[in-house]
Amino acid sequence: MTGQTQQADQAQEVEVVNRVADSAVQDFVVTPPLWLLAELTYRCPLHCVFCYNPLNYAENRNELTTDQWFDVMRQARKLGAAQLGFSGGEPLLRDDLEELIAEGHRLGYYTNLITSGVGLTEPRIARMKELGLDHIQLSFQDSTKEMNDFLTSTKTFDLKSKVAKLIKQYDYPMVLNVVLHRYNLDHIDRIIEMAIEMDVEYLELANTQYYGWGLVNRAHLLPSREQLQRAEATVNEYRAKLGNKLRILFVVPDYFEERPKACMNGWGSVFLAVAADGAALPCHAARSLPGLTFPNVLEDSIHDIWHHSDAFNRYRGDAWMKEPCKTCPDKKKDFGGCRCQALALTGDATNADPVCSKSPHHDALQTIVLHAQPTKNGVPQTVTQPILFRTDANSMRFASAGAESSNK
């Protein structure tokens, strides 16, 4: 094959992909992304068992440079993005974080640091305040030192407590995030009391969503229905008692719902994540989907990625839908639910999210929930393997297993 022939074939393939993508969104108005999430690094001092980072993150150490992130931020802002989140991994491990914050502020973004707190010293937070950082979201794993440190395989509870005081000292709105699961749901009252003591304004109680490391550890993390009901009742009691003094967001895990959530408010609708290596993603867990090649900001413009890439157009609109989604009156509300969850639970990303009671796979999901109920000895039926922490060594094992599988 000559070089010219090969180039012609490649151009034809691109044209076909673009036609397919365009036809998939023929009835869908593509609006600008509003929320840019900059996943600056996959490096992290914590080893959380529910982390949404890719299982094989350790095989790719590439990170965009400062100037490359500047370019991403400028392009996304020009396209219409208004909110900019810095996350990871742990974004504080980037030595240029302050430079990125300054550029985000200069461009007019509302900037948000999503952090474990590890590495946030007083000189750094003072500098970030000076540079215009708008918002800090601090994560805790539990109200007790023992459970917090166990779930992260670190000794960070005391450090996080000091960081919480720094955030208040520098007059940031105190936003606390705690991921919930079987290990800490019964501590919900103590978690809320901890938030009150810290003078938190917003408490996000986000039940684990089962992607990435959370899916691997699902047998350990999935609570019983009774646990969840008790926790939600406790949250409602505190809401009634506290009013607007502490705003509590309680996110119920999808597995216990009868209707799916509108994941990311719709695929390629408002959310754009750029991973540490420059891959552009419509959601955090999108890399788990087979058959999709995600564009990279080092090769394509943000405009072309958002408007013309197959990855961002694949699940826009409803042309891709099968029954029962295709004729469902709620398809414009929930967009068929979560594609990553459909893949994880049914093996096919185009299936209806099995959270939905209309899905033919809903009963199988209910069986998973049923098996999370404790047996007579208090141990759920599904726990047959040790809990797996997010470590480089474990990640490389997943990377090796994936490479072996692809070579078969």
Side-chain angles (χ1 to χ4, degrees):
M1 181 182 291
T2 67
Q4 287 183 334
T5 303
Q6 188 174 13
Q7 288 177 354
D9 287 347
Q10 289 174 342
Q12 188 175 16
E13 289 175 6
V14 170
E15 184 181 353
V16 169
V17 167
N18 286 339
R19 283 205 305 270
V20 171
D22 289 342
S23 65
V25 294
Q26 57 187 343
D27 296 322
F28 183 87
V29 177
V30 180
T31 55
L34 300 178
W35 166 240
L36 171 63
L37 183 68
E39 295 183 336
L40 300 180
T41 181
Y42 285 140
R43 292 174 289 143
C44 188
L46 273 58
H47 310 293
C48 299
V49 296
F50 44 73
C51 182
Y52 67 78
N53 284 168
L55 296 176
N56 62 345
Y57 73 86
E59 70 176 345
N60 188 350
R61 296 297 190 180
N62 296 331
E63 294 182 7
L64 298 184
T65 66
T66 307
D67 287 339
Q68 287 167 343
W69 276 117
F70 283 174
D71 187 46
V72 168
M73 291 156 59
R74 290 164 187 161
Q75 288 188 60
R77 185 75 181 107
K78 184 177 180 181
L79 197 59
Q83 188 158 333
L84 171 61
F86 298 110
S87 75
E90 176 48 67
L92 286 163
L93 291 177
R94 289 278 300 218
D95 294 335
D96 60 354
L97 178 58
E98 285 82 349
E99 294 178 67
L100 299 176
I101 288 170
E103 180 64 8
H105 179 71
R106 187 190 71 80
L107 290 169
Y109 282 105
Y110 182 88
T111 51
N112 180 16
L113 175 62
I114 303 166
T115 179
S116 68
V118 178
L120 189 56
T121 61
E122 184 164 3
R124 291 196 80 177
I125 195 172
R127 181 61 176 152
M128 290 174 187
K129 188 71 174 181
E130 180 184 328
L131 294 171
L133 179 66
D134 294 296
H135 178 112
I136 300 175
Q137 178 181 297
L138 177 65
S139 69
F140 267 73
Q141 282 65 40
D142 192 53
S143 57
T144 68
K145 180 177 180 178
E146 294 74 18
M147 186 57 69
N148 181 92
D149 292 355
F150 165 71
L151 291 166
T152 61
S153 191
T154 62
K155 295 181 179 180
T156 53
F157 183 84
D158 291 339
L159 184 151
K160 286 171 175 284
S161 300
K162 292 176 182 177
V163 168
K165 293 177 181 177
L166 275 179
I167 292 171
K168 293 299 295 185
Q169 179 183 332
Y170 280 84
D171 200 30
Y172 279 103
M174 185 61 183
V175 182
L176 187 67
N177 173 273
V178 182
V179 177
L180 301 176
H181 39 75
R182 180 186 299 146
Y183 286 100
N184 63 5
L185 262 174
D186 292 333
H187 304 166
I188 198 76
D189 54 341
R190 284 174 278 175
I191 291 171
I192 297 173
E193 289 292 342
M194 177 181 73
I196 295 170
E197 185 178 340
M198 290 178 175
D199 199 19
V200 168
E201 282 91 3
Y202 300 92
L203 174 60
E204 180 179 311
L205 299 171
N207 277 277
T208 301
Q209 302 298 332
Y210 296 98
Y211 315 109
W213 298 85
L215 182 59
V216 169
N217 289 309
R218 184 179 66 191
H220 289 272
L221 300 174
L222 190 66
S224 69
R225 192 177 295 277
E226 289 74 17
Q227 263 191 304
L228 188 64
Q229 290 170 343
R230 288 196 303 269
E232 190 166 15
T234 300
V235 168
N236 288 334
E237 289 173 7
Y238 272 96
R239 281 173 172 163
K241 181 168 63 175
L242 297 172
N244 290 330
K245 180 182 178 182
L246 171 60
R247 297 184 182 181
I248 306 175
L249 176 64
F250 185 79
V251 183
V252 176
D254 289 354
Y255 281 36
F256 293 86
E257 300 279 29
E258 292 293 313
R259 286 289 182 272
K261 297 182 178 72
C263 186
M264 311 311 298
N265 204 38
W267 181 276
S269 179
V270 298
F271 180 83
L272 167 64
V274 177
D277 61 356
L281 307 169
C283 78
H284 310 83
R287 285 196 205 238
S288 66
L289 298 174
L292 281 179
T293 300
F294 291 98
N296 195 291
V297 297
L298 298 178
E299 301 168 357
D300 300 296
S301 70
I302 297 292
H303 180 278
D304 285 349
I305 287 170
W306 186 256
H307 286 279
H308 302 302
S309 68
D310 173 53
F312 276 77
N313 281 324
R314 181 70 65 91
Y315 300 115
R316 279 175 172 155
D318 56 22
W320 60 271
M321 290 182 180
K322 302 189 295 188
E323 294 294 353
C325 299
K326 190 173 184 179
T327 56
C328 179
D330 292 329
K331 67 180 180 180
K332 301 293 185 183
K333 298 178 183 177
D334 59 35
F335 310 106
C338 176
R339 298 303 89 222
C340 301
Q341 193 154 260
L343 173 73
L345 295 173
T346 75
D348 185 348
T350 64
N351 282 333
D353 187 333
V355 165
C356 183
S357 60
K358 298 179 182 180
S359 165
H361 300 93
H362 184 68
D363 288 346
L365 176 59
Q366 293 306 298
T367 300
I368 293 173
V369 171
L370 180 64
H371 285 170
Q373 309 305 307
T375 57
K376 290 182 179 179
N377 63 2
V379 179
Q381 302 172 42
T382 48
V383 177
T384 58
Q385 63 183 28
I387 198 164
L388 204 62
F389 291 93
R390 178 206 186 273
T391 65
D392 289 356
N394 284 333
S395 178
M396 287 307 299
R397 291 189 188 99
F398 281 111
S400 298
E404 290 175 7
S405 176
S406 63
N407 289 331
K408 289 181 180 178

